[in-house]
Amino acid sequence: MAGEKIIAVTGATGAQGGGVVRAILADKAGGFKARAITRKPDSDKAKALAAQGVEVVAADIDDEKSLEKAFAGAYGVYAVTNFWEHFSGEKEFVQASNIAQACKAAGAQHVVWSTFEDTRKWVPLSDNRMPTLQGKYKVAHFDAKAEADEVFKKLGVPTTFLLTTFYWENFIYFGMGPKKGPDGKYAMTYPMGSAKLAGIAAEDIGKAAYAIFKKGKDYIGKNVGISGEQLTIDQMAATCAKVFGFPVAYNKVTAAQFRGFGFPGADDIGNMFQIYEEFEKPFAGARSVEATRALVPGLTSFEAWLTANKSRIPLE
Ligand SMILES: NC(=O)c1ccc[n+]([C@@H]2O[C@H](COP(=O)([O-])OP(=O)(O)OC[C@H]3O[C@@H](n4cnc5c(N)ncnc54)[C@H](OP(=O)(O)O)[C@@H]3O)[C@@H](O)[C@H]2O)c1
């Protein structure tokens, strides 16, 4: 439709950006249309978007000039970086800065930047309760994003800072769901003590972001924290038991034990869980479920998400 505002969506072939694109597609009369940004317009995921009528444009967040071209004429930009592709805070900061610069150059009127708090405001580098990572971070995939907030601000890019949180899709892609132990019993291994984990269905991040674009100017310059439900691991295990139909225990470990699991990123994720546990109040408190529901009326509960996704969760 003529006159629709274009939202250029980075990460459009992924979980967050894909959710933004689907939210736009689902609202035909909303006055917006999505432009999917990808490095690989020939990939199956990009082709699937094109088949739904989405404009697909090639760009790389490592290449600021490619982004400038891809954002040309767009009203808005959904900005997300993928730390887990390279595990480098410095690289993530550069990628986010490239997006910010390109938003500025292209004259974007509203940017929703998917970010996190700087955990060093809670645990300074000198605090040895958790290791310092990559020489300058406590949680690299949080702190680098937070550093990039300042680039969006300094450049005067009209930005909403979307404070996301743990997606339940980690059960599918990051092995965070129930697992069968050597005793044949299922357990969820987390270093969360009795703190509540602020979780969300990844799809609802996209819906929240789209709602923010629709609400527009009032949200510029604001931090918006979102979550779908905040549950202890005991409560999540009980929901898993109900949905899967077998007992699921909480295998409570310490953050140090979790870091010691040694898989790529275990140190960063161990530190992240330690922040979730020790700073539950400010972290979960900044992500009100009620405020999120005001943006996403059909907000997904953990049980509803699990019921819909249980066949996708590897249990072994
Ligand atoms: N897992 C969680 O619980 C969670 C929660 C909150 C926030 N996060 C954050 O979410 C981010 C990842 O987002 P996601 O889960 O939506 O990712 P995802 O599903 O793994 O997809 C990654 C997306 O990033 C795009 N991408 C990666 N490198 C790119 C580059 N150089 N240029 C252009 N596009 C690039 C990919 O596009 P193409 O391959 O098509 O180019 C793809 O669309 C991470 O930074 C993580 O910290 C994760």
Side-chain angles (χ1 to χ4, degrees):
M1 226 186 306
E4 286 178 321
K5 292 174 173 167
I6 296 167
I7 306 290
V9 180
T10 58
T13 56
Q16 291 192 36
V20 177
V21 172
R22 285 183 287 277
I24 295 171
L25 285 173
D27 185 20
K28 294 269 177 270
F32 289 88
K33 69 179 178 187
R35 177 184 292 166
I37 310 298
T38 172
R39 288 163 295 183
K40 300 168 259 177
D42 291 328
S43 70
D44 290 345
K45 285 184 175 171
K47 282 186 188 155
L49 291 172
Q52 292 173 82
V54 178
E55 180 190 9
V56 174
V57 174
D60 190 322
I61 61 175
D62 290 321
D63 173 0
E64 196 259 320
K65 290 288 167 207
S66 74
L67 290 172
E68 261 182 51
K69 280 191 209 137
F71 295 166
Y75 161 84
V77 174
Y78 185 73
V80 61
T81 44
N82 186 12
F83 176 87
W84 302 112
E85 191 165 310
H86 47 68
F87 296 82
S88 160
E90 280 186 2
K91 180 157 178 157
E92 182 166 48
F93 174 78
V94 171
Q95 292 180 324
S97 302
N98 286 339
I99 298 175
Q101 302 270 8
C103 288
K104 170 85 177 169
Q109 294 178 57
H110 192 178
V111 177
V112 177
W113 158 232
S114 173
T115 188
F116 279 115
E117 292 88 343
D118 193 322
T119 62
R120 297 164 295 188
K121 75 182 172 190
W122 292 318
V123 184
L125 293 184
S126 57
D127 186 329
N128 290 327
R129 77 177 86 181
M130 63 179 69
T132 291
L133 304 176
Q134 301 179 29
K136 56 177 176 177
Y137 307 112
K138 287 301 188 186
V139 181
H141 77 284
F142 279 37
D143 301 345
K145 290 182 178 75
E147 281 181 3
D149 291 2
E150 301 312 312
V151 180
F152 284 93
K153 287 178 192 166
K154 212 163 60 199
L155 291 172
V157 176
T159 307
T160 303
F161 302 89
L162 184 64
L163 298 167
T164 65
T165 195
F166 181 96
Y167 350 128
W168 297 316
E169 279 72 6
N170 293 330
F171 279 37
I172 303 170
Y173 304 114
F174 269 90
M176 294 302 300
K179 290 268 181 272
K180 201 190 254 180
D183 57 0
K185 295 183 176 151
Y186 285 94
M188 292 171 56
T189 300
Y190 282 73
M192 281 288 292
S194 53
K196 287 185 171 166
L197 175 61
I200 195 163
E203 201 68 6
D204 284 341
I205 298 178
K207 289 181 184 170
Y210 177 53
I212 291 167
F213 282 120
K214 282 188 87 175
K215 288 185 186 289
K217 301 267 176 262
D218 289 351
Y219 275 77
I220 288 170
K222 299 249 162 70
N223 288 349
V224 179
I226 52 172
S227 67
E229 202 172 357
Q230 303 186 356
L231 298 168
T232 64
I233 306 304
D234 271 326
Q235 289 172 320
M236 291 175 78
T239 306
C240 286
K242 182 177 168 194
V243 170
F244 285 112
F246 50 72
V248 178
Y250 172 12
N251 177 30
K252 203 180 279 182
V253 296
T254 65
Q257 284 170 325
F258 193 94
R259 286 188 283 270
F261 291 159
F263 60 84
D267 49 1
D268 217 69
I269 296 173
N271 285 7
M272 174 192 81
F273 280 125
Q274 194 171 345
I275 293 284
Y276 285 175
E277 187 197 356
E278 295 183 16
F279 298 89
E280 176 193 7
K281 261 214 167 92
F283 186 85
R287 291 162 170 75
S288 154
V289 173
E290 285 322 305
T292 309
R293 190 169 288 113
L295 288 171
V296 182
L299 191 66
T300 313
S301 67
F302 178 58
E303 185 172 340
W305 180 87
L306 195 61
T307 304
N309 288 281
K310 68 177 187 178
S311 64
R312 302 171 67 206
I313 297 169
L315 291 169
E316 294 304 319

